[in-house]
Amino acid sequence: MRKLLNTLYVTTPEAYLSKDGLNVVVSVNKQEVFRIPIINIEGIVTFGYMGASPGLMKLCADNSVSLTFLSPNGRFVSRLQGQTKGNVLLRKAQYQLVDDENVSLHMAKLMIAGKILNCRNILRRYVRDYGENEEVMEAASFMDVNRRKALRTTDIRSLMGVEGIAANRYFEVFPHLILQQKGDFPFSGRSRRPPKDAINAMLSLAYTLVTNEMTAALETVGLDPYVGFLHSLRPGRTSLALDMIEEIRAYMGDRFVLSLINRRQISPKDFLYQGEKGVVLTDNGRKTFLTAWQSRKREEFVHPYLNEKIPVGLLPYCQAILLARCIRGDIDDYPVFIIK
């Protein structure tokens, strides 16, 4: 199993990245503030527009370290990819399957049905742990119905319609899952660009981080993250990574955000309200979020299909391996990740 290394998160917008030998150097106002050997990290995520030196970019590419640039508010800007990895025959098989409409629909249905089922399981866990709640129980039943509908759809457009309806219902009852600081974290549904409240700001950042890690995982196992089954092809869009995070976003994203609030690890003072520009994490809030994120990635659980104990941070990698095995024909079908 692949070793889980660290991701370096550079949260200071004025930071500039460069290299010194085999070290990554972070400088602010031309003063060095941090350095780390390149062999100790598997990825760099930097928030801001100061950028990185060409030498640092080459160091990352040579050592298979992903370099991702996000805006200060956490929106994706660009990603540096080194030499393409993997077996060309695997990618050729991937492209052939994507071109087959029946196969693409089948894979998309599995992933969306897995997403809906995981949302249902999160709601059911709430009922199991905190007692019956009629609205939450009704929403969980609604998830069940729509999971079956998703598996019966005959085209991508209908599948996306079912997914949208299920997602709306799930987020309608999401406030019930907030057990602490309820008055401080109002939530009236998913909003993205811009996020209209603190919960949406955290969800968007969590999904961005999961997508970045799924992209790196797909490249590691030799798959093309830009060619997917569900999301349409678009220059610069990691369509397959977006497909793959559907089944894990509830586990890695939603539960993480809920735990931050319910454990009082984050508070309203960690957010900046910008009116029509939405809500963003402050510098301290972002550091709190990312520190907890790194800690969460190190927690272990038993993968339901592999039946192995793995760190949460390796879940994207495990699912990428399973998809590669499916594409090669080593297993009969793709085993989506389902929360127990």
Side-chain angles (χ1 to χ4, degrees):
M1 181 59 67
R2 179 176 180 234
K3 182 180 179 181
L4 180 62
L5 298 175
N6 290 319
T7 299
L8 172 63
Y9 294 99
V10 182
T11 61
T12 304
E14 297 80 16
Y16 181 76
L17 279 68
S18 60
K19 72 178 278 292
D20 180 14
L22 296 178
N23 297 295
V24 177
V25 178
V26 181
S27 301
V28 176
N29 297 325
K30 298 184 179 181
Q31 296 294 318
E32 180 180 327
V33 296
F34 181 78
R35 68 167 52 210
I36 187 172
I38 191 73
I39 61 172
N40 289 348
I41 56 176
E42 61 182 355
I44 302 172
V45 178
T46 179
F47 295 77
Y49 299 116
M50 292 300 291
S53 70
L56 185 278
M57 294 181 184
K58 184 176 187 303
L59 181 67
C60 289
D62 291 345
N63 288 273
S64 301
V65 172
S66 62
L67 176 57
T68 303
F69 296 94
L70 305 181
S71 74
N73 295 340
R75 289 186 61 181
F76 179 81
V77 176
S78 64
R79 186 171 186 276
L80 175 68
Q81 174 183 330
Q83 184 176 5
T84 300
K85 309 179 186 69
N87 189 332
V88 66
L89 297 179
L90 175 61
R91 292 200 173 200
K92 182 179 179 181
Q94 176 189 352
Y95 302 147
Q96 290 173 337
L97 291 181
V98 168
D99 286 339
D100 187 320
E101 292 185 2
N102 291 328
V103 173
S104 285
L105 178 60
H106 172 73
M107 297 297 287
K109 289 196 295 186
L110 289 179
M111 293 171 183
I112 292 300
K115 172 185 178 178
I116 296 173
L117 182 56
N118 283 333
C119 290
R120 185 209 70 170
N121 288 347
I122 284 180
L123 298 180
R124 285 184 135 187
R125 178 176 180 175
Y126 168 85
V127 173
R128 183 178 69 245
D129 292 346
Y130 301 103
E132 293 187 1
N133 179 299
E134 184 176 352
E135 192 172 353
V136 174
M137 292 171 66
E138 287 178 355
S141 297
F142 187 82
M143 296 294 113
D144 253 339
V145 171
N146 280 269
R147 175 183 62 87
R148 291 190 290 269
K149 283 184 179 179
L151 293 173
R152 292 197 299 265
T153 54
T154 57
D155 58 77
I156 293 291
R157 185 174 181 178
S158 299
L159 178 62
M160 294 298 288
V162 172
E163 185 273 337
I165 292 171
N168 287 338
R169 185 72 182 102
Y170 169 70
F171 283 117
E172 282 178 3
V173 299
F174 200 74
H176 289 287
L177 310 185
I178 301 170
L179 307 174
Q180 304 291 333
Q181 309 185 88
K182 271 185 176 290
D184 294 329
F185 287 94
F187 182 78
S188 57
R190 189 78 177 99
S191 58
R192 298 170 178 81
R193 297 181 180 178
K196 297 179 180 179
D197 54 55
I199 293 178
N200 273 295
M202 289 190 288
L203 287 173
S204 292
L205 179 54
Y207 296 161
T208 296
L209 296 176
V210 175
T211 302
N212 180 58
E213 295 186 12
M214 180 59 78
T215 300
L218 291 167
E219 290 174 346
T220 299
V221 303
L223 291 169
D224 187 339
Y226 294 89
V227 181
F229 302 102
L230 174 64
H231 289 82
S232 59
L233 301 182
R234 185 184 302 171
R237 172 192 268 183
T238 53
S239 296
L240 183 57
L242 293 174
D243 291 354
M244 296 285 288
I245 71 163
E246 294 292 358
E247 69 202 68
I248 66 174
R249 68 165 73 213
Y251 181 71
M252 291 192 69
D254 301 357
R255 281 179 54 172
F256 173 70
V257 169
L258 288 169
S259 70
L260 284 180
I261 299 171
N262 290 334
R263 294 176 182 176
R264 297 183 180 272
Q265 293 174 276
I266 207 154
S267 68
K269 68 180 181 181
D270 293 313
F271 298 88
L272 181 63
Y273 294 81
Q274 302 178 313
E276 293 183 357
K277 294 183 179 180
V279 180
V280 298
L281 283 154
T282 65
D283 287 346
N284 285 334
R286 193 183 303 120
K287 290 175 183 177
T288 298
F289 185 100
L290 294 173
T291 299
W293 177 261
Q294 289 284 62
S295 178
R296 169 62 174 157
K297 285 170 58 179
R298 290 191 291 270
E299 294 177 9
E300 293 188 336
F301 75 107
V302 177
H303 191 284
Y305 180 82
L306 298 174
N307 199 31
E308 291 183 27
K309 183 177 286 188
I310 64 167
V312 171
L314 286 185
L315 178 56
Y317 178 71
C318 289
Q319 294 307 119
I321 287 177
L322 293 173
L323 180 62
R325 289 178 181 175
C326 175
I327 290 174
R328 285 196 299 263
D330 297 338
I331 54 179
D332 293 335
D333 210 346
Y334 172 62
V336 296
F337 173 74
I338 302 298
I339 301 171
K340 286 189 175 181

